[in-house]
Amino acid sequence: TLLSSLGLGTTLTFASSHWLLAWMGLEINTLAIIPLMAQHHHPRAVEATTKYFLTQATAAAMILFASTTNAWVTGAWDMNSLSNPIASAMILAALALKIGLAPMHFWMPEVMQGLDLLTGLVLSTWQKLAPLALIIQTAQATDPLLLTVLGLMSTLIGGWGGLNQTQLRKILAYSSIAHMGWMVIVLQYAPQLTLIALLTYIFMTSAAFLTLKASSATKIGTLATIWSKSPILATTTALVLLSLGGLPPLTGFMPKWLILQELAKQSLPLVATVMALAALLSLYFYLRLCYAMTLTISPNTTTSTTPWRVQATQASLPLALATVMTLGLLPIT
């Protein structure tokens, strides 16, 4: 029931051109993921669920308020008639809070840290779709400067924030913030590039989360013991992380390349330079993970499962598929 409601809420938001329907879809989506987040009855999970619920409820209320204001001024509820600048700025702020764009990003690492890996995967991929669809639909009505500032701040903060982390879920949360920044920065110039970036981001994040799930790793220290369990998995994981960082010849290079090219084409060389340098920041912490995985031998005994081979408990097909997509899609550029 919960999973189908989760899908239904997002689909409802996709299919709507009326603000109330879109709001209802977001609300169903939020209410469906809350029990999924709290199902482990761990204090951290409950705390993360509460934080998530409060931020999402605030954002939904802001969307409702802004769309009501817009309908009050213009007399129309459909999304294309966002002519009131205050309403459009408020809606963008609420949607940015929903997907965790900086400076509304503070809930994201905390919430991710409290969840298990599969719910974290749902939170960082599926939960981004509905608000991002609304952002794409209303992008032409919002202030271009606002979008640019949101995108730049998100990539910079997603780069800075992850530098000092040892928890893998928090690192992935900051990486998610940075990728959202890349999507938003190019939105007003080429929305199709936003969709390409979203698609590659979903593949790469799924591969990362499913790999961590396969080795039940949540800290950098645990990563150092993967090589003895499954050497090939360690190799592909290192490549997946480099793909998240955006190195050619892996898939993650494609959206960054196209977005930087588009920014340069729109004669925004300064913005493009800052984005490229922020990508360097993100690359540093992915490289740290790669270093811990492939170039070090862990000196400490870990609390993870035993280093010899154990029976796999998860289906390997989604992991294999996501990994292949993450490593090999660059030629479709």
Side-chain angles (χ1 to χ4, degrees), residues 81-209:
S81 63
L82 258 187
S83 51
N84 188 9
I86 302 174
S88 62
M90 273 187 62
I91 279 182
L92 184 65
L95 291 169
L97 175 64
K98 265 200 174 300
I99 61 172
L101 281 167
M104 284 80 89
H105 68 283
F106 290 101
W107 59 272
M108 181 94 190
E110 300 292 325
V111 169
M112 286 285 281
Q113 183 52 35
L115 305 178
D116 70 311
L117 290 165
L118 284 182
T119 321
L121 171 64
V122 172
L123 180 66
S124 55
T125 55
W126 184 257
Q127 292 298 93
K128 303 281 189 249
L129 294 178
L132 207 63
L134 293 183
I135 290 181
I136 290 174
Q137 283 182 61
T138 56
Q140 302 311 318
T142 46
D143 186 15
L145 181 66
L146 192 57
L147 282 170
T148 311
V149 166
L150 279 176
L152 276 175
M153 277 193 70
S154 299
T155 41
L156 282 168
I157 286 177
W160 278 122
L163 289 184
N164 214 10
Q165 298 291 339
T166 58
Q167 298 284 345
L168 298 178
R169 285 167 293 189
K170 278 195 179 176
I171 287 182
L172 283 166
Y174 278 113
S175 121
S176 167
I177 295 168
H179 279 278
M180 289 292 139
W182 279 92
M183 287 172 219
V184 168
I185 195 97
V186 78
L187 183 53
Q188 48 202 332
Y189 309 114
Q192 63 273 27
L193 285 188
T194 301
L195 289 176
I196 288 184
L198 178 66
L199 204 61
T200 51
Y201 161 75
I202 286 180
F203 280 140
M204 297 187 295
T205 311
S206 311
F209 269 105

